[in-house]
Amino acid sequence: MSEEKKKQLNQPFYTEEIDAVLEKMETTTEGLSTNEVNKRLDDYGHNQLDEGKKKSWLSKFGDQFKDFMIIVLLVAAVLSFIMGDQVEAIMIIVVVMIMAVFGVIQEAKAEEAIEALKDMSTPNANVRRDNTTKVIKSNELVPGDIVLLEAGDVIPADMRLIEAASLKIEEAALTGESVPVEKNIAVLDQEDIGIGDRINMAYMNSNVTYGRGLGVITGTGMNTEVGKIANMLAQADETNTPLKENLNKLGKVLSIVIIGICVIMFAVGMLRGGHDWIDMLLTSVSLAVAAIPEGLPAIVTIILALGTQKMAKRNALVRKLPAVETLGSTDIICSDKTGTLTLNQMTVEEVFSNNETIEANEEIPLDNQTLKIMTFCNDTKISDDNTLIGDPTETALVKFGMDHGFDVVDELRNAPRVAEIPFDSDRKLMTTVHQLADGKFLIAVKGAPDELLKRCSFFDVHGDIKPMTKEQQELILTNNTNMAKQALRVLAMAYQISESIPEDMASESVERELIFSGLIGMIDPERKEAADAVKVAKEAGIRPVMITGDHRDTAEAIAVRLGIISEGQHEAVITGGELNEMSDDELAKRIEQYSVYARVSPEHKVRIVKAWQKDGKVVAMTGDGVNDAPALKTADIGIGMGITGTEVSKGASDMVLADDNFSTIVIAVEEGRKVFSNIQKTVQYLLAANLGEVLTLFIATMVGWDTLLPVHLLWINVVTDTFPAIALGLEPVEQGIMKLKPRGRSSDLFSGGVLSSIVYQGILEAGITLGVYMFAITYPVHSGYEAIHADALTMSYATLGLIQLFHAFNVKSVRESIFKVGLFKNKTFNYAVLLSFVLLAVTIVIPGFNDIFKVAHLDAYQWGIVFGASIAIIPIVEIVKWVQRKTVYK
């Protein structure tokens, strides 16, 4: 499509008269001719969304190797091959390949959003062409087509309405507003208004719930509002998760350390003399390879996968593995109101009748006149299984009656409808006429309180009909105002008893001299558990932010009821119109001020998420509608709704709530915090162990000792770096984890005392291992140098392996004592340590393995020294933790 054609469609048609719109679209109410349609199909294309570019499996596989940690591992594999250590190299390559395949599988479902948008399109549309009405496929529609609308239709494209008879369109999936919008054809004055306020427009994929209409298509395919969302989805950048950033940072730190080790080792060795430069280079490289925790990426993946399984059991379905950990670092939860914090179901909350206020949970007499009017003056269809079909507002009235024991079907059978005046958006009233058993007729009227009250000459209090007075009007208006302040949608009920069916069924003749009966206050109520979830989130230092397409007053009232903001905190609420007046920089500066956003569009949601991210926050976005999809994809973690959510929102999200329950997010946050804590423990354990190995070899080489052989390092890494490290990922959640503030984006895997613990614990491991070696060669048990060296070598090998297994108990908590956390609480961990010990001991105690590993048998005395020295790390670290708790963490 040419830029000129795009410009023709991207105009604020809602600000123009119908004739002007028809002229611009070069059409008439008789419709386009077949020849003109074919021409426009060539010019504008079909009414469908672009598929976008799809990555091939090979491309996705290649993308996995762009991760910095993976690059470091591949370099390590190459160096291992150069050194002749094929076993180590093959192990690293296997780990990398498994990681890459796993990543491709996870990405396979990541780009389903646009496909889901396409599937939502209505298959057929009623179109006026060549002055006749035809049913055609919606993808054949073109700008300028005249489309007929009636209740039950899905809007096939964006259009300017040119006729609207009691037309109501439900736009929740696009705007987030739970109540169907009453449409009309009046010209709007403002250009810069949100989608939800464009009452003379109808938008693709919204639903007609009531009435009928006629519209001229002003946008098709990618030039519709849904098309804009699809374009935003295609262009949205994938946000790097905190975990990916942490692992990349870890990879860079390790690279610097590795290069430093190689350079220092080579330089010192050459300066000391006595070594061939090739031998020194190989020794330096072997140390560098020893510093790399090659199993870490795979172990992290396993920990995340185990986390997803636990979350799935609690109704949080994770689509992308890093999302598990990201939840734990969340600072902000931007939540869509409708269907997430609320039920997305209009509900009667309060009734004012007989000059009394009745709460929804209170009893109401079955002969209450207001109860009868709200269910009689109603177009809701009741199926055989009592399913209610119709406008959400009207179904809410019928449901209220049925819930309070009013047999609507039986009552209507005894008082059938014989005439009606349909709802009209101008007079804002609806009237039905029912024949009563005594031969008289009930005229039931419902509508806007201000309009209906003008037509009431009397009022009813328990059947006592009295003339309307000024005092009574003030009482009614006061109750109306009180309901409105609670953000309730208020409808008034009135009636009249007639001796016959009115001959003239005009509003002026029938809707007059009415008897006021009562007021009904309705709202889309908050979920019962949502307020508790908001409270827990706040205690965890997480800020809930509500984003909705509803009006400001409704949004503020719900936010107060949920505890998101306090009563009277008006400055914390902002509308989409006010957002439009702000630049991105200004919004970023003022973002901390706002907790509630009303009347927003999809573009606003993305701006809000990005503003919080610019403020350094980790942002989670929940949502269920099409309009939420771009923000879900932009956020650090997008959370879709499994029951009420569209396939679009699910496809764009990282996690889906199977129960649509906001409180499930809090459960998932706790699991995410536990996962990160366990990953931190794993990193601390592995890097402290690797540092201990490197320092042991480095110092021994510098002083001329042969403490460890390459095969020893390899076996220790295989045995101690695998099973205990994975088992640490199964550690139960630590007490008080939900009382801590979020880590935020600035924290990393080394924060919270982990880095200092790695350093001193690595030094401690190396010191104890070298101490055992020194003791063995200084105070030999056997005579002869060869025997002494073999014993010392074996004892240092056994000590380095065992000290890492005992140290695994230390890292069950970074700060707390292991006796408080539970020394043997994690059974899987206990078995993992036992298995690793057996695999280590086998190489020493079982004949045949001695030759392979070049070690000697140890007697009880030597084993005693090894065990005593190895287990010493537990009390030493416990003492350090105690000092830290009394000083640093106090």
Side-chain angles (χ1 to χ4, degrees), residues 411-657:
E411 291 287 341
L412 284 172
R413 189 182 296 117
N414 295 329
R417 183 188 301 188
V418 293
E420 64 183 285
I421 306 176
F423 174 84
D424 185 280
S425 57
D426 290 330
R427 76 183 205 285
K428 298 180 181 179
L429 300 173
M430 174 184 176
T431 298
T432 58
V433 181
H434 301 263
Q435 185 170 9
L436 302 176
D438 60 3
K440 295 181 180 181
F441 294 86
L442 169 68
I443 299 174
V445 186
K446 80 169 188 291
D450 53 343
E451 292 296 326
L452 188 58
L453 204 54
K454 294 176 185 176
R455 303 170 187 242
C456 291
S457 302
F458 308 91
F459 68 97
D460 181 349
V461 179
H462 295 295
D464 185 11
I465 313 300
K466 300 178 181 179
M468 181 66 71
T469 61
K470 185 178 180 181
E471 291 76 19
Q472 181 65 25
Q473 279 190 336
E474 289 178 355
L475 178 63
I476 294 169
L477 292 173
T478 298
N479 278 273
N480 180 45
T481 302
N482 291 339
M483 288 184 182
K485 284 180 179 178
Q486 300 175 59
L488 300 182
R489 187 184 185 207
V490 186
L491 286 177
M493 306 292 152
Y495 71 100
Q496 189 185 89
I497 303 297
S498 174
E499 295 295 331
S500 61
I501 300 176
E503 293 183 6
D504 180 11
M505 285 299 295
S507 172
E508 296 78 10
S509 303
V510 179
E511 296 167 344
R512 55 189 293 273
E513 300 293 318
L514 298 173
I515 304 167
F516 177 84
S517 176
L519 300 173
I520 306 292
M522 293 178 290
I523 198 170
D524 174 17
E526 69 275 14
R527 290 178 175 270
K528 292 180 181 178
E529 63 283 347
D532 290 335
V534 167
K535 182 180 179 182
V536 173
K538 283 188 169 184
E539 289 175 351
I542 300 169
R543 181 170 178 173
V545 173
M546 190 173 83
I547 303 176
T548 178
D550 271 344
H551 290 279
R552 182 184 192 126
D553 292 343
T554 304
E556 182 175 343
I558 289 291
V560 169
R561 289 163 63 148
L562 287 168
I564 293 174
I565 61 174
S566 303
E567 185 80 44
Q569 196 179 348
H570 307 301
E571 70 282 356
V573 186
I574 186 173
T575 64
E578 292 169 322
L579 270 179
N580 289 334
E581 298 174 4
M582 288 188 193
S583 65
D584 289 343
D585 289 338
E586 186 180 359
L587 176 60
K589 289 177 184 177
R590 299 172 62 179
I591 193 68
E592 294 277 356
Q593 177 181 336
Y594 307 114
S595 294
V596 180
Y597 296 83
R599 305 305 278 172
V600 294
S601 67
E603 293 86 351
H604 292 141
K605 294 185 178 186
V606 174
R607 285 186 65 197
I608 293 164
V609 170
K610 286 185 175 180
W612 278 114
Q613 289 173 332
K614 192 174 181 180
D615 195 42
K617 307 297 184 184
V618 177
V619 184
M621 169 72 186
T622 73
D624 58 356
V626 176
N627 62 322
D628 297 319
L632 287 170
K633 194 172 181 181
T634 303
D636 296 283
I637 175 166
I639 306 171
M641 299 296 116
I643 299 173
T644 60
T646 61
E647 291 304 314
V648 183
S649 60
K650 293 176 193 175
S653 54
D654 304 294
M655 185 180 86
V656 176
L657 302 183

Side-chain angles (χ1 to χ4, degrees), residues 164-175:
S166 303
L167 184 64
K168 293 184 184 181
I169 299 179
E170 188 265 306
E171 299 175 333
L174 195 62
T175 66

Side-chain angles (χ1 to χ4, degrees), residues 78-90:
V78 173
L79 294 176
S80 296
F81 268 117
I82 294 173
M83 292 169 55
D85 193 349
Q86 283 80 12
V87 176
E88 173 84 0
I90 291 171

Side-chain angles (χ1 to χ4, degrees), residues 9 70 94 156 312 373 422 447 526 532 668 679 685 734 765 839:
L9 299 182
I70 298 297
V94 168
I373 296 166
E526 69 275 14
D532 290 335
I679 290 174
Y685 171 69
E734 292 186 41
E765 289 186 22
L839 292 174

Side-chain angles (χ1 to χ4, degrees), residues 284-330:
S284 301
V285 170
S286 67
L287 273 178
V289 172
I292 298 173
E294 62 272 359
L296 180 59
I299 291 170
V300 168
T301 300
I302 292 169
I303 293 174
L304 292 174
L306 292 172
T308 64
Q309 291 177 12
K310 286 196 172 183
M311 292 168 77
K313 292 177 182 178
R314 303 185 76 175
N315 294 315
L317 311 176
V318 176
R319 298 181 69 247
K320 301 175 185 177
L321 278 184
V324 180
E325 180 276 334
T326 307
L327 270 168
S329 60
T330 299

